[in-house]
Amino acid sequence: MHAFDIQLLVDLSYVVMALLILLLAKLTLGFLTPYDTDDELTGNDNPAFGISLLGYYLGVLIVFLGAIYQDPSLSEGEDVVLDHFLVDLGVDMIWALSAVIMLNVARFVLDRVVLRGFSVRDEILRDRNTGMGAVEFGTYVSAGLIVAGAISGEGGEGGVAAGLITTISFLGLGLFCLLVFALGYQRLVRYDLLAELEADNPAAGVAYGGNLIAVGIVLMRGSAGTFTTWAEHLERFAFYAVMGLFLVVVARRVIDGAFLTGRTLQQEIAEDRNVNAGYLEGGLLIGLAAVVALAT
């Protein structure tokens, strides 16, 4: 079989598998939640739920991309691809399906630990709180980025068991750092984040969700790639964890005071509920995080 035909078969197989995983993700969400997802999207026309659901699906696809990143390419030879294609496809499916569970667990933990004191589900379903939907969007995408980084590349020497240990270790480190940031975010802003979210402030939710995604991008870079040694990989992860902290503490303060005349983004978010300010803060931090991830 020609190399081009093999590549086309591989690409089409992954597209089909991605669609199947999205369908399974939808069924899993329906099983884990007491409400009808289709009814919320089309019957109730709930924009908050739509934003949250989109983040969920994107998180699943991001993890899927992390899984297929470690597959052999055609440059390694036609025989290698043919021999390992079905095995790789099965392994990637297992990782992607595991991601569905991990994303739901990550969302549950962040909801219970960070967004404590009120019901996130009620805010999204009953109050149609788009700010809370944006937070859930950021939670799903950032968790997906961290999982994708942990499972990308090869596990190094030691076989499957060693690779699984390194994956779980860096997954745990990444999610722990994300949780620490999510808890510490309140200290970085001059307004009461939980009060603003509960008061249906969409600007606060958009800014917070963007910050979560920015941190997820940097943490993904810290754990992504083929495992070499524990010392080297931990050193790299620590470097990017510090870079993520620098980004959200220093860069966001510069953004907050430099991109508006006479007002800060935080004032626009908390006092005027200006969703444009939330987009600006979150979007610029995501862009800077991408620069950190790609340029270092």
Side-chain angles (χ1 to χ4, degrees):
M1 186 179 292
H2 194 274
F4 177 79
D5 296 330
I6 298 175
Q7 186 63 66
L8 182 60
L9 175 63
V10 170
D11 293 343
L12 290 175
S13 298
Y14 280 126
V15 170
V16 172
M17 189 166 73
L19 292 173
L20 289 175
I21 290 169
L22 286 174
L23 178 59
L24 289 172
K26 176 186 176 181
L27 296 174
T28 302
L29 185 65
F31 175 77
L32 295 176
T33 53
Y35 49 83
D36 189 322
T37 57
D38 291 333
D39 188 50
E40 288 297 324
L41 283 175
T42 58
N44 296 332
D45 299 339
N46 187 342
F49 180 76
I51 295 170
S52 173
L53 185 64
L54 176 60
Y56 175 63
Y57 287 147
L58 287 178
V60 172
L61 288 176
I62 288 169
V63 175
F64 178 65
L65 291 174
I68 66 177
Y69 175 77
Q70 61 188 348
D71 290 340
S73 66
L74 285 174
S75 61
E76 297 177 74
E78 181 176 340
D79 293 336
V80 173
V81 173
L82 288 174
D83 290 343
H84 295 279
F85 173 61
L86 291 178
V87 175
D88 292 331
L89 203 65
V91 171
D92 294 338
M93 176 66 84
I94 292 172
W95 276 120
L97 293 177
S98 300
V100 174
I101 299 173
M102 287 185 281
L103 287 177
N104 281 284
V105 170
R107 188 263 308 165
F108 177 83
V109 171
L110 285 172
D111 285 355
R112 292 297 184 273
V113 177
V114 180
L115 304 175
R116 58 195 180 279
F118 57 93
S119 173
V120 175
R121 188 178 70 184
D122 286 347
E123 290 292 325
I124 291 178
L125 298 181
R126 184 188 63 197
D127 297 343
R128 303 162 69 95
N129 185 337
T130 55
M132 191 62 69
V135 173
E136 292 283 272
F137 178 96
T139 299
Y140 281 127
V141 172
S142 59
L145 288 165
I146 290 171
V147 174
I151 68 176
S152 66
E154 299 293 335
E157 298 181 359
V160 175
L164 186 60
I165 292 174
T166 58
T167 295
I168 293 174
S169 298
F170 285 99
L171 173 61
L173 281 173
L175 292 177
F176 174 76
C177 289
L178 179 65
L179 180 61
V180 169
F181 166 74
L183 288 170
Y185 181 81
Q186 176 64 82
R187 297 181 177 274
L188 300 177
V189 295
R190 300 186 185 94
Y191 51 85
D192 188 332
L193 175 65
L194 296 183
E196 292 298 326
L197 291 175
E198 193 169 14
D200 297 1
N201 184 342
V206 168
Y208 186 34
N211 275 262
L212 291 175
I213 294 173
V215 172
I217 291 172
V218 178
L219 292 175
M220 176 190 68
R221 181 68 177 86
S223 58
T226 298
F227 180 81
T228 51
T229 65
W230 280 104
E232 183 177 337
H233 222 70
L234 286 172
E235 181 180 355
R236 184 174 67 181
F237 181 86
F239 169 79
Y240 282 102
V242 172
M243 289 295 292
L245 180 64
F246 174 85
L247 181 73
V248 299
V249 173
V250 178
R252 74 178 301 280
R253 288 193 179 275
V254 174
I255 291 171
D256 183 59
F259 284 85
L260 291 178
T261 302
R263 300 276 288 178
T264 65
L265 289 175
Q266 290 196 52
Q267 288 175 318
E268 289 292 314
I269 290 170
E271 298 173 14
D272 296 345
R273 298 190 171 192
N274 185 347
V275 72
N276 292 323
Y279 288 137
L280 192 60
E281 178 183 316
L284 288 175
L285 281 174
I286 290 173
L288 290 173
V291 172
V292 170
L294 295 175
T296 56

